Amino acid sequence: MEVRMDLAKIIITETTDQQVIVLKERDGERAFPIVIGINEAFAVDRRVKGIKTARPLTHDLLAGVITALGGELEKIVVNDLQDHTFYAKLIIRQNGKVVEVDSRPSDAIALGVAGETPIYVEEHVLREVS
């Protein structure tokens, strides 16, 4: 079962390489942090704030590729946790078919937040982190 989550916080500390995003259950109290890199944190922050760059950065490029190929990012699913590492997948709808693409959660969220793509977490992952 998948649980709807929201990006609750982005914590950027420029004195360390480890940054944090916090996902919070939309209709509940559960929340958990995911440690990400500084470049990914800046990408998420930039896309949340709608800051445009002169040339497309990686997440902008990927969004453009998905659109150009007739796809739509339907949702993001954080689907596993192994050895303190989270795993996610992009769920893309293209010509009536669903395409799943493996992703780091930070990249998936950076890609999805600009389009307000829903974020889900598998229940078994929430049980492990809560």
Side-chain angles (χ1 to χ4, degrees):
M1 184 172 109
E2 298 172 353
V3 178
R4 181 76 187 264
M5 307 291 283
D6 291 311
L7 176 62
K9 287 184 195 177
I10 306 166
I11 302 168
I12 298 175
T13 308
E14 294 181 18
T15 57
T16 179
D17 285 339
Q18 293 188 335
Q19 311 306 310
V20 175
I21 54 176
V22 177
L23 298 181
K24 184 188 178 304
E25 189 174 18
R26 175 163 278 191
D27 297 319
E29 297 299 316
R30 295 179 289 184
F32 66 95
I34 298 176
V35 175
I36 64 175
I38 195 157
N39 293 329
E40 293 78 8
F42 282 135
V44 171
D45 188 58
R46 179 183 58 81
R47 289 181 60 88
V48 163
K49 293 175 179 172
I51 298 170
K52 302 286 185 200
T53 57
R55 299 288 300 145
L57 299 178
T58 304
H59 301 99
D60 306 312
L61 173 65
L62 184 53
V65 168
I66 291 169
T67 301
L69 293 175
E72 177 186 354
L73 182 57
E74 190 170 282
K75 65 181 175 178
I76 295 159
V77 180
V78 178
N79 64 323
D80 207 0
L81 174 62
Q82 297 178 18
D83 299 321
H84 307 290
T85 300
F86 289 94
Y87 293 80
K89 56 187 173 182
L90 305 173
I91 307 300
I92 301 167
R93 184 162 300 276
Q94 180 189 37
N95 300 325
K97 295 171 101 172
V98 173
V99 178
E100 294 185 7
V101 178
D102 288 332
S103 177
R104 295 183 305 178
S106 57
D107 289 330
I109 291 167
L111 176 63
V113 293
E116 298 181 19
T117 302
I119 302 168
Y120 293 88
V121 175
E122 293 279 354
E123 180 66 43
H124 72 92
V125 174
L126 276 174
R127 281 195 305 269
E128 285 184 53
V129 297
S130 295

PDB file of all heavy atoms in Angstrom, residues 3 5 25 30-31 68 84-85 91 98 100 106-107 111:
ATOM      1  N   VAL A   3       1.301   5.389   0.686  1.00  0.00           N
ATOM      2  CA  VAL A   3       0.786   6.457   1.533  1.00  0.00           C
ATOM      3  C   VAL A   3       1.213   7.789   0.928  1.00  0.00           C
ATOM      4  O   VAL A   3       2.397   7.995   0.635  1.00  0.00           O
ATOM      5  CB  VAL A   3       1.325   6.313   2.977  1.00  0.00           C
ATOM      6  CG1 VAL A   3       0.836   7.452   3.852  1.00  0.00           C
ATOM      7  CG2 VAL A   3       0.942   4.956   3.560  1.00  0.00           C
ATOM      8  N   MET A   5       2.408  11.471   0.694  1.00  0.00           N
ATOM      9  CA  MET A   5       3.310  12.277   1.512  1.00  0.00           C
ATOM     10  C   MET A   5       3.467  13.654   0.873  1.00  0.00           C
ATOM     11  O   MET A   5       3.163  13.855  -0.296  1.00  0.00           O
ATOM     12  CB  MET A   5       4.686  11.614   1.610  1.00  0.00           C
ATOM     13  CG  MET A   5       4.695  10.167   2.073  1.00  0.00           C
ATOM     14  SD  MET A   5       4.234   9.927   3.792  1.00  0.00           S
ATOM     15  CE  MET A   5       5.732  10.417   4.613  1.00  0.00           C
ATOM     16  N   GLU A  25       3.528  12.574   6.159  1.00  0.00           N
ATOM     17  CA  GLU A  25       2.280  11.958   5.738  1.00  0.00           C
ATOM     18  C   GLU A  25       1.206  13.032   5.559  1.00  0.00           C
ATOM     19  O   GLU A  25       1.003  13.868   6.439  1.00  0.00           O
ATOM     20  CB  GLU A  25       1.867  10.945   6.810  1.00  0.00           C
ATOM     21  CG  GLU A  25       0.710  10.068   6.453  1.00  0.00           C
ATOM     22  CD  GLU A  25       0.467   8.992   7.511  1.00  0.00           C
ATOM     23  OE1 GLU A  25       0.957   9.126   8.648  1.00  0.00           O
ATOM     24  OE2 GLU A  25      -0.245   8.043   7.175  1.00  0.00           O
ATOM     25  N   ARG A  30       2.951  10.752  10.609  1.00  0.00           N
ATOM     26  CA  ARG A  30       4.276  10.182  10.357  1.00  0.00           C
ATOM     27  C   ARG A  30       5.101  11.077   9.434  1.00  0.00           C
ATOM     28  O   ARG A  30       4.588  11.641   8.475  1.00  0.00           O
ATOM     29  CB  ARG A  30       4.157   8.781   9.764  1.00  0.00           C
ATOM     30  CG  ARG A  30       3.525   7.792  10.723  1.00  0.00           C
ATOM     31  CD  ARG A  30       3.399   6.419  10.129  1.00  0.00           C
ATOM     32  NE  ARG A  30       2.362   6.392   9.089  1.00  0.00           N
ATOM     33  CZ  ARG A  30       1.985   5.294   8.439  1.00  0.00           C
ATOM     34  NH1 ARG A  30       2.566   4.135   8.703  1.00  0.00           N
ATOM     35  NH2 ARG A  30       1.032   5.343   7.531  1.00  0.00           N
ATOM     36  N   ALA A  31       6.375  11.168   9.757  1.00  0.00           N
ATOM     37  CA  ALA A  31       7.319  11.941   8.952  1.00  0.00           C
ATOM     38  C   ALA A  31       8.690  11.305   9.116  1.00  0.00           C
ATOM     39  O   ALA A  31       8.949  10.627  10.110  1.00  0.00           O
ATOM     40  CB  ALA A  31       7.353  13.395   9.405  1.00  0.00           C
ATOM     41  N   ALA A  68       8.599  15.784 -24.054  1.00  0.00           N
ATOM     42  CA  ALA A  68       8.842  15.673 -25.496  1.00  0.00           C
ATOM     43  C   ALA A  68       8.518  14.279 -26.023  1.00  0.00           C
ATOM     44  O   ALA A  68       8.127  14.124 -27.187  1.00  0.00           O
ATOM     45  CB  ALA A  68      10.293  16.037 -25.816  1.00  0.00           C
ATOM     46  N   HIS A  84      20.095   1.585   5.052  1.00  0.00           N
ATOM     47  CA  HIS A  84      19.985   3.034   5.274  1.00  0.00           C
ATOM     48  C   HIS A  84      19.938   3.841   3.977  1.00  0.00           C
ATOM     49  O   HIS A  84      20.186   5.045   3.984  1.00  0.00           O
ATOM     50  CB  HIS A  84      21.115   3.552   6.172  1.00  0.00           C
ATOM     51  CG  HIS A  84      21.242   2.802   7.454  1.00  0.00           C
ATOM     52  ND1 HIS A  84      20.305   2.878   8.460  1.00  0.00           N
ATOM     53  CD2 HIS A  84      22.180   1.927   7.885  1.00  0.00           C
ATOM     54  CE1 HIS A  84      20.667   2.085   9.453  1.00  0.00           C
ATOM     55  NE2 HIS A  84      21.797   1.507   9.138  1.00  0.00           N
ATOM     56  N   THR A  85      19.637   3.195   2.858  1.00  0.00           N
ATOM     57  CA  THR A  85      19.524   3.875   1.573  1.00  0.00           C
ATOM     58  C   THR A  85      18.102   3.733   1.055  1.00  0.00           C
ATOM     59  O   THR A  85      17.576   2.623   0.955  1.00  0.00           O
ATOM     60  CB  THR A  85      20.507   3.272   0.542  1.00  0.00           C
ATOM     61  OG1 THR A  85      21.841   3.420   1.041  1.00  0.00           O
ATOM     62  CG2 THR A  85      20.389   3.961  -0.801  1.00  0.00           C
ATOM     63  N   ILE A  91       6.890   7.120 -11.804  1.00  0.00           N
ATOM     64  CA  ILE A  91       5.795   6.478 -12.520  1.00  0.00           C
ATOM     65  C   ILE A  91       5.367   7.456 -13.614  1.00  0.00           C
ATOM     66  O   ILE A  91       4.835   8.531 -13.334  1.00  0.00           O
ATOM     67  CB  ILE A  91       4.607   6.150 -11.591  1.00  0.00           C
ATOM     68  CG1 ILE A  91       5.080   5.348 -10.366  1.00  0.00           C
ATOM     69  CG2 ILE A  91       3.507   5.427 -12.361  1.00  0.00           C
ATOM     70  CD1 ILE A  91       5.744   4.022 -10.674  1.00  0.00           C
ATOM     71  N   VAL A  98       1.999   2.606 -18.518  1.00  0.00           N
ATOM     72  CA  VAL A  98       2.756   3.064 -17.357  1.00  0.00           C
ATOM     73  C   VAL A  98       4.188   2.576 -17.493  1.00  0.00           C
ATOM     74  O   VAL A  98       4.433   1.396 -17.740  1.00  0.00           O
ATOM     75  CB  VAL A  98       2.128   2.550 -16.044  1.00  0.00           C
ATOM     76  CG1 VAL A  98       3.009   2.875 -14.849  1.00  0.00           C
ATOM     77  CG2 VAL A  98       0.738   3.141 -15.856  1.00  0.00           C
ATOM     78  N   GLU A 100       7.828   2.570 -15.426  1.00  0.00           N
ATOM     79  CA  GLU A 100       8.479   2.783 -14.143  1.00  0.00           C
ATOM     80  C   GLU A 100       9.980   2.924 -14.359  1.00  0.00           C
ATOM     81  O   GLU A 100      10.585   2.116 -15.054  1.00  0.00           O
ATOM     82  CB  GLU A 100       8.212   1.614 -13.193  1.00  0.00           C
ATOM     83  CG  GLU A 100       6.768   1.484 -12.794  1.00  0.00           C
ATOM     84  CD  GLU A 100       6.528   0.399 -11.756  1.00  0.00           C
ATOM     85  OE1 GLU A 100       7.515  -0.185 -11.231  1.00  0.00           O
ATOM     86  OE2 GLU A 100       5.351   0.131 -11.469  1.00  0.00           O
ATOM     87  N   SER A 106      15.880  11.798  -4.030  1.00  0.00           N
ATOM     88  CA  SER A 106      16.189  13.221  -4.184  1.00  0.00           C
ATOM     89  C   SER A 106      15.992  13.677  -5.623  1.00  0.00           C
ATOM     90  O   SER A 106      15.443  14.757  -5.873  1.00  0.00           O
ATOM     91  CB  SER A 106      17.623  13.513  -3.724  1.00  0.00           C
ATOM     92  OG  SER A 106      18.546  12.714  -4.444  1.00  0.00           O
ATOM     93  N   ASP A 107      16.406  12.862  -6.589  1.00  0.00           N
ATOM     94  CA  ASP A 107      16.222  13.227  -7.996  1.00  0.00           C
ATOM     95  C   ASP A 107      14.748  13.194  -8.371  1.00  0.00           C
ATOM     96  O   ASP A 107      14.265  14.084  -9.077  1.00  0.00           O
ATOM     97  CB  ASP A 107      17.011  12.288  -8.906  1.00  0.00           C
ATOM     98  CG  ASP A 107      18.505  12.498  -8.814  1.00  0.00           C
ATOM     99  OD1 ASP A 107      18.939  13.634  -8.534  1.00  0.00           O
ATOM    100  OD2 ASP A 107      19.245  11.520  -9.017  1.00  0.00           O
ATOM    101  N   LEU A 111      12.653  16.480  -9.537  1.00  0.00           N
ATOM    102  CA  LEU A 111      11.944  16.469 -10.812  1.00  0.00           C
ATOM    103  C   LEU A 111      10.462  16.782 -10.611  1.00  0.00           C
ATOM    104  O   LEU A 111       9.885  17.586 -11.331  1.00  0.00           O
ATOM    105  CB  LEU A 111      12.106  15.096 -11.477  1.00  0.00           C
ATOM    106  CG  LEU A 111      11.350  14.877 -12.772  1.00  0.00           C
ATOM    107  CD1 LEU A 111      11.828  15.832 -13.851  1.00  0.00           C
ATOM    108  CD2 LEU A 111      11.503  13.430 -13.219  1.00  0.00           C
TER     109      LEU A 111
END
